[in-house]
Structure formats: structure tokens, C-alpha cells
Amino acid sequence: MHMTAMLMAVLSRRHRCLLLLILPFFLVCSWVYLSLLKHSSVDGWSSVITADQLLPTQQMAIKAMSPTPDKMAAEAEAIQERSTNSDTTTANIAAPVASSLPSKKNAATNHAGICDKYRGILHIRHGDEFAASGTLFFVYVINHILYANHYNLFPWIHLDPHGVCYDEKVHGRNNSQTLALPGGMMSTQTIRLQGTKQGRVCGKPKRPHAYPGDLQFAAAANDYNTSLIVYGNGIWASYFEPLLRYTNNNDAGVGGNDNDWTKDPSCQRLPLVQIDSKLVSPGMHRCAEWAVRPWQVGGMPKRLLPEYRNISLHTWFGDMRQRAHAVVAKYYRPQPWLQHEIDAANPVDRKCLAMHIRMTDKGHGRMLIPLERFLPYAQAYTDSTTAADTKGNEDDYIIYLATDDSHLLLQLQKSWPKHVVDRIVYRANTLRSPGNATAVFDLHASDRHRTNTEALVEVYSMSRCQFIVHGYSAMAEAAIYINYPILHNHSVCLENQEHMSAS
């Protein structure tokens, strides 16, 4: 006799009624429990399927989730404690989240895997369409790497072949290659839509800007690809060595190019993550608490502004410069040919004041700073170094001038005192605008490789100085990122009303 029938036979009518009411509830609870048990992670990702649990035929999608402020604060404290002996202890966002690591089966046999410590691979592919060299190579790339480091993603840079930094002759477009992705590729459209709905947002209610939070990998439909076609050399590779050489498990410099991760078994099991352009800009650029910015960009939420946080503008910049420096110090290495040009432009044994005077397409709420406002600082530096130099080596103290305006050079030579002009050094054969508001990369659109090169040489040359006077600019900020904290502590931004006087 069936067990249920046996129970019914021995129970009273009252007890039979109670059992009939309780039994369905018990069956439903059992089904829910078994479902949760089936889909919960053994690695501590609650209700998440890790990449190495997925079969090759399974489909994956990515969801940009928004951690609550309390969760983010707790995460930051935990990261700080884990990072006590790390190079990035001062930049919480740059430290990996240990609780998010996938389980490492066969760790003894896969010890040297490039991607052993990562959850996925972040494809860094764009900034905004009008981002010039300082903004694209530093601000946008750094923000992507900060995001990747925070959420344990392997950073891979292969920029899309478009924008004002792209040069078809050098960076290529017709040359394409197909990368095999056994771990799958996430749909950028899925990220954008899910990020807008459930991710972090800021901006006006009618036009909110989403930006990515944590990632959740789960089975989903029709968003899984096993290959990716990339075009050209990715732009970045023309100027910098591959990030692959400086990631967590590859400090010895293994790997000939950034695409070598596709050949490593530890990477092949991981999903590739792409972030939609709208999540990058305006989303991440304006709204993310952890992002770096070269000035107070328009549309930023009030909670991120220095006056709302009750800190000085110098301190506000300092927090971002510290985070950016941790990334630049670890990952940024100019290609040997570019390093040679930097060394020729401003040798390392010089002492210098950097002046960055931008006069062309300066917009987004920034102002053009008249040349005469720079003179008191150039004069003070010249006079103080002349007085301090007792060996007659005045040539060891220079003023390194970086400007995009050839007319300004003529004006300076005519109006500034000769003993100050004699200290000024600048690159003579650099493309500049002839005294108008057109950006150099627009005037010379057919040779953007050259304008990229010259901008990067100026950035690194300024970074070798001990002092810098500037306006709001991604190039000036990039120089400070490289030589932090020296240039942060000895910088004068003439658009900051709190700036230090020349006296």
C-alpha cells in the first residue's frame, strides 16, 4: 500500500485534514530548497554560476549590479585590510576583491596561469569619440583598469579603430584577426540595458546615466559568442608595452603581445566582458565614485563635488591622482622608440618647471588662461634657481613649455624678459595650431599617429619636472599621475581660485 494511503488509514479525520493542508506546503518548500541548492555557488558567489562550472555549450550574459553604499563601504574596509602590504594600499578601488576569486582546481598544476586569480577578462575598447591622447590613454584607460582591478577582471586593451586618436595608416583596420573565446563573450547591449535598469545611475530623472557596478555571471539566452573579431593593432600597442607583462601573475615580463592571453588555458575558461560606450561615457566618466577626472566634468552628481564633500579642490584632485598613479606605476611602459623620444625631449638629469599652456579647443567649462598669468611663476622659478645655483650651471634648471599654439611662442619671445626666455625649452618640430581655436588633431587629421606621439612625449617630459603650472587639462593631469606625489604637491592650477601665488 502507498505510504500516503497507509497514513490516511491510521489517522483520524481531523488529523487527515491537517496533513492534506501541510503536505503541499512541504512539497513546495522542498522544491525551492533543491532549486537554490542546485544553482548556488561553491565559491561564495551567492546564486551565481562560476565560469568553470559552465559547459562550453551553455550561454552566458552579464548583469551590471549596483552594490549598496553600506556594502561598498564594507567592501572598501575589507580591501584596505587585505592590502596592508600591497602597493595599492592607498587606493582601495585598485585592489582586487579576494572574495570574488573563482575556485582554483588543480592549483598545483596550473600555478603559472595568467588568469588564475581573475573572474573574467575586461576588454578595454573605447573612451568617447572625441577623446584626445591625454583623455583616452590616461583617463579612460585608467578608469577601466580601476574597474577591472576592483572586480578581479584581467585588463586587456584593444581600442576600437575610430576616434580622434585613430590613424588608419599606422593602427590598421583592414588587418583583422579572430580570437577564440571558449569562455564566452558578454553582450554589450545586455550590459547597457541591464545596467540602466538595475545598475547604478545618476543624472536627471528623465535622462539617467548608468554606470557598471559588480558583475553577476548566470545562464541566460542568446548572448553567448565563442569568438571575437578585432581590427588593427588596438592603437594602444603602438605606444605602450602590453599590460599582459605587468598583470598579477606575469610580473616577469612573459608574453609577446596583449593577445597572448587567448592561448593560456587559465584565461580560456573565463568570459570576456565588454562595457557599452554609454556606460563608459557619460556613465562611468561622470558618475562613478571611483573614477578619475581631469576636472569637474559637467553633469557630475553633487555628492562627488569637493564642496559637497567639504574638502579643498586640491585634496579632491589628490585622491584621484593617488588612485591613477597606482595604475600608471604598475602598467604603463612606453614603447622603446617612444621612450627614446621622451629622453631626447627632456633628459632625466634636468631640474625643471613644467608649464602647460593650452590655447586651442579648450571647452567643457574651462577657460583660456592668458599668457601673462604664467609669467610670475616663470620669473620666480628663474630668479630662485639663479640665486641657488652657485656653480654656474643655470642650464641644469629649465622651464619646459608644452603648448599647442605656435602664435603663443612668438608672443612669449617678444614680451617676456630675456633671462626668462633663455631658460625656456620646447620641442621645435611639433605640430601646433597657428593661433586659432582648431585642435591640432583636427588640423592634422591625416597624421594622428604623429599628434598622439607628440602629445605623449609632452606628457612624459612634463612629468620629469619637479613643479608644474597649468590649467585644467588631461595632459597636465597625466603628467601628475606619472610623477605623483611630487607634482601634486608642487602644482599650480591657474583655474583653481585657491591656487598658490608666485611670491
Side-chain angles (χ1 to χ4, degrees):
M1 183 182 294
H2 194 275
M3 183 177 293
T4 303
M6 292 175 62
L7 286 171
M8 291 296 180
V10 298
L11 292 174
S12 66
R13 180 179 179 183
R14 179 181 179 183
H15 289 133
R16 285 199 300 269
C17 292
L18 287 172
L19 182 61
L20 289 173
L21 289 173
I22 294 171
L23 186 59
F25 177 78
F26 174 79
L27 293 173
V28 169
C29 290
S30 300
W31 178 81
V32 170
Y33 173 78
L34 291 173
S35 298
L36 290 173
L37 187 62
K38 178 180 178 181
H39 294 291
S40 64
S41 167
V42 297
D43 297 325
W45 298 358
S46 177
S47 299
V48 178
I49 303 173
T50 57
D52 51 351
Q53 288 177 292
L54 292 170
L55 298 175
T57 55
Q58 286 183 294
Q59 296 179 327
M60 302 173 67
I62 189 168
K63 185 192 299 182
M65 300 288 288
S66 172
T68 64
D70 291 342
K71 179 182 176 183
M72 290 194 73
E75 239 182 24
E77 290 180 6
I79 293 167
Q80 185 69 30
E81 291 178 5
R82 287 193 299 270
S83 304
T84 302
N85 298 319
S86 170
D87 291 336
T88 57
T89 54
T90 56
N92 290 346
I93 193 69
V97 184
S99 61
S100 298
L101 302 179
S103 62
K104 291 197 285 182
K105 302 173 182 177
N106 303 322
T109 59
N110 196 27
H111 179 70
I114 294 171
C115 296
D116 276 351
K117 296 182 180 180
Y118 297 99
R119 297 166 62 192
I121 296 155
L122 179 65
H123 179 190
I124 302 172
R125 51 184 297 227
H126 46 216
D128 67 67
E129 199 66 27
F130 304 103
S133 304
T135 306
L136 179 64
F137 294 131
F138 287 89
V139 177
Y140 280 118
V141 168
I142 286 172
N143 282 337
H144 274 87
I145 295 175
L146 287 172
Y147 177 82
N149 286 352
H150 189 53
Y151 293 114
N152 264 350
L153 302 174
F154 176 89
W156 169 53
I157 304 177
H158 192 100
L159 299 171
D160 290 346
H162 55 71
V164 299
C165 291
Y166 171 66
D167 188 322
E168 185 172 1
K169 299 188 300 296
V170 176
H171 306 137
R173 185 175 187 132
N174 297 328
N175 298 328
S176 64
Q177 56 180 316
T178 301
L179 305 180
L181 305 171
M185 183 178 75
M186 308 302 112
S187 163
T188 57
Q189 185 71 3
T190 300
I191 297 174
R192 186 181 72 81
L193 292 176
Q194 294 185 356
T196 301
K197 185 177 179 181
Q198 299 182 11
R200 316 208 72 186
V201 296
C202 76
K204 298 179 180 179
K206 293 184 179 180
R207 297 185 63 186
H209 305 307
Y211 60 102
D214 198 0
L215 308 174
Q216 198 171 40
F217 300 97
N222 303 320
D223 287 313
Y224 178 73
N225 298 306
T226 56
S227 64
L228 172 69
I229 300 176
V230 293
Y231 298 91
N233 70 351
I235 305 176
W236 173 270
S238 290
Y239 311 102
F240 296 95
E241 292 185 4
L243 263 64
L244 175 61
R245 300 182 182 181
Y246 306 100
T247 49
N248 288 354
N249 303 331
N250 210 22
D251 293 331
V254 180
N257 62 74
D258 265 345
N259 293 346
D260 281 355
W261 63 264
T262 62
K263 305 169 187 175
D264 191 290
S266 69
C267 300
Q268 291 175 353
R269 65 184 176 85
L270 298 179
L272 182 76
V273 177
Q274 294 181 329
I275 302 179
D276 185 75
S277 60
K278 295 297 183 183
L279 280 180
V280 175
S281 178
M284 185 190 298
H285 189 53
R286 290 185 185 178
C287 304
E289 296 89 343
W290 40 264
V292 301
R293 300 171 180 88
W295 58 85
Q296 298 179 69
V297 298
M300 286 177 57
K302 290 182 179 179
R303 59 185 166 80
L304 299 182
L305 298 175
E307 56 268 28
Y308 185 86
R309 296 171 56 192
N310 197 29
I311 59 175
S312 69
L313 192 59
H314 187 71
T315 300
W316 184 77
F317 273 113
D319 293 342
M320 296 185 291
R321 289 165 177 171
Q322 190 176 33
R323 292 197 296 273
H325 172 73
V327 172
V328 172
K330 179 174 183 178
Y331 292 107
Y332 282 54
R333 302 291 187 280
Q335 290 283 5
W337 69 266
L338 180 59
Q339 187 65 59
H340 178 75
E341 292 209 23
I342 296 166
D343 294 340
N346 191 14
V348 293
D349 55 351
R350 281 175 169 171
K351 297 178 178 64
C352 55
L353 162 70
M355 292 196 310
H356 185 241
I357 310 178
R358 182 169 177 175
M359 301 298 288
T360 58
D361 65 323
K362 198 172 182 183
H364 306 288
R366 297 172 294 163
M367 64 181 185
L368 295 177
I369 303 172
L371 177 61
E372 56 267 22
R373 290 192 59 191
F374 287 85
L375 177 58
Y377 298 91
Q379 181 88 51
Y381 181 79
T382 302
D383 293 346
S384 62
T385 53
T386 299
D389 180 30
T390 59
K391 298 181 180 180
N393 297 325
E394 293 181 5
D395 290 343
D396 290 341
Y397 298 88
I398 67 163
I399 299 172
Y400 188 90
L401 174 62
T403 183
D404 55 0
D405 190 343
S406 59
H407 178 73
L408 178 140
L409 293 175
L410 297 174
Q411 181 184 354
L412 180 151
Q413 290 168 353
K414 291 179 180 179
S415 61
W416 282 20
K418 184 179 183 305
H419 73 288
V420 176
V421 173
D422 288 344
R423 293 289 191 92
I424 293 175
V425 173
Y426 60 89
R427 299 190 79 213
N429 296 321
T430 295
L431 297 174
R432 294 185 174 89
S433 174
N436 60 45
T438 305
V440 174
F441 53 76
D442 284 334
L443 284 173
H444 304 278
S446 62
D447 199 357
R448 284 177 171 162
H449 172 64
R450 180 176 175 182
T451 57
N452 290 340
T453 299
E454 292 175 349
L456 291 171
V457 170
E458 297 282 50
V459 165
Y460 275 89
S461 295
M462 288 191 292
S463 77
R464 289 182 166 179
C465 293
Q466 298 75 46
F467 306 90
I468 184 169
V469 181
H470 61 99
Y472 290 145
S473 165
M475 286 181 60
E477 284 302 303
I480 298 172
Y481 296 162
I482 297 167
N483 192 10
Y484 176 91
I486 292 174
L487 284 184
H488 169 68
N489 293 331
H490 301 98
S491 64
V492 174
C493 177
L494 295 177
E495 291 186 65
N496 177 5
Q497 299 303 315
E498 306 167 358
H499 70 262
M500 185 190 309
S501 68
S503 58

